[in-house]
Amino acid sequence: MSNVVTKNFRPTKTWYEDADKYWKAVPSSIDGMLGGLEVVHRPDVRDSLKFIAKIRSNISAPIGSAYACDCGSGIGRVTKHVLLEQFDKVDLVEQNSKFLDTAASEYLNEEVVSGRVSSMFATGLQDFAPTEGKYDVIWCQWVLGHLTNSDMVAFLQRCASGLASNGLICVKENIARQGYIIDKEDSSVTRTESIFERIFNKANMEIVEKDVQTELPQGCFVVKMWALRPR
């Protein structure tokens, strides 16, 4: 069993290197992006689209529709089925260049050729700094578990400067019942809802909307969604 439950999260010295090594061995496919749970794809896409619609209808200062950024994009599953349904253009951020190669040459080739997928950044989120004022939404899904707590705070603060007027950071992540669940196999951590929200607060983020993913297979983690805006 590679999972360890702990009250405190102390990343190893090779935390990011170990995650990079793990993902380099993962197939460049939908099933690979979802850890062998391709059955999650349809309900995930449906509820993500519903969440964006909820944001657009409930928030008095509406987000624009010009540009989104898909953080931890993999081959572009969320870009193709969620973000390009809602935004004119999308940039991808992904540490594994193999996944970006698959996105450009196969999975998102048509969108790349048309210009709707613009830039692809082969970098980890711990090093990514978005262009100032560029994005209406920065979408982070099933990726923040690879960041340490301090690096997540710093990443969110950098993202704040990358938002356009009324822009939002959207987070969609697995939720632990208590403490931290450390996965030694892929070098990731699953946090509780309260730990996430303490990190958001430390990054000076306001929660403007939140929801929970529905219809996941039995045995899956609870998945929560947040829309964040800099205070």
Side-chain angles (χ1 to χ4, degrees):
M1 186 72 173
S2 63
N3 288 354
V4 176
V5 181
T6 178
K7 291 182 179 179
N8 299 299
F9 170 39
R10 296 184 178 90
T12 63
K13 291 181 179 179
T14 56
W15 181 257
Y16 291 119
E17 292 85 352
D18 291 345
D20 186 45
K21 182 178 179 181
Y22 171 85
W23 284 104
K24 281 180 177 176
V26 171
S28 300
S29 63
I30 295 293
D31 199 51
M33 300 302 96
L34 293 173
L37 289 172
E38 191 169 350
V39 67
V40 167
H41 172 69
R42 286 183 181 274
D44 168 62
V45 167
R46 180 199 62 220
D47 280 11
S48 293
L49 290 170
K50 284 183 178 179
F51 187 61
I52 295 173
K54 185 178 180 182
I55 291 168
R56 292 194 188 280
S57 63
N58 289 358
I59 296 176
S60 57
I63 57 173
S65 300
Y67 229 131
C69 183
D70 184 358
C71 290
S73 65
I75 64 172
R77 182 187 69 88
V78 171
T79 289
K80 189 178 190 75
H81 297 282
V82 177
L83 299 178
L84 286 173
E85 294 292 322
Q86 296 289 324
F87 300 93
D88 297 334
K89 290 188 175 184
V90 180
D91 287 345
L92 277 63
V93 184
E94 170 55 53
Q95 182 167 275
N96 191 335
S97 59
K98 175 184 73 172
F99 294 158
L100 293 180
D101 289 344
T102 298
S105 64
E106 299 175 32
Y107 195 68
L108 292 173
N109 178 256
E110 183 179 335
E111 293 84 352
V112 170
V113 171
S114 70
R116 295 198 66 204
V117 169
S118 182
S119 298
M120 295 186 181
F121 302 98
T123 185
L125 299 190
Q126 68 273 17
D127 299 316
F128 177 63
T131 300
E132 185 173 351
K134 184 174 185 180
Y135 299 113
D136 297 298
V137 159
I138 297 176
W139 188 276
C140 310
Q141 179 169 344
W142 290 327
V143 66
L144 297 184
H146 287 297
L147 292 181
T148 66
N149 288 351
S150 59
D151 280 346
M152 197 199 305
V153 170
F155 167 71
L156 292 171
Q157 290 172 335
R158 293 194 301 274
C159 285
S161 69
L163 294 175
S165 178
N166 300 327
L168 296 172
I169 301 166
C170 291
V171 172
K172 186 170 186 177
E173 293 288 343
N174 293 343
I175 301 297
R177 291 185 178 181
Q178 59 182 354
Y180 297 91
I181 302 175
I182 311 298
D183 188 327
K184 294 183 177 181
E185 183 181 10
D186 69 0
S187 195
S188 69
V189 57
T190 303
R191 300 169 169 92
T192 63
E193 182 174 1
S194 62
I195 290 172
F196 266 113
E197 293 186 355
R198 286 201 299 270
I199 291 172
F200 299 157
N201 184 62
K202 192 170 183 178
N204 204 29
M205 292 289 158
E206 173 192 5
I207 298 170
V208 296
E209 193 62 77
K210 61 193 295 186
D211 213 334
V212 62
Q213 174 68 42
T214 63
E215 295 184 29
L216 292 177
Q218 188 174 2
C220 286
F221 284 109
V222 171
V223 174
K224 292 289 180 72
M225 295 173 273
W226 293 268
L228 310 175
R229 180 168 283 160
R231 292 196 183 99

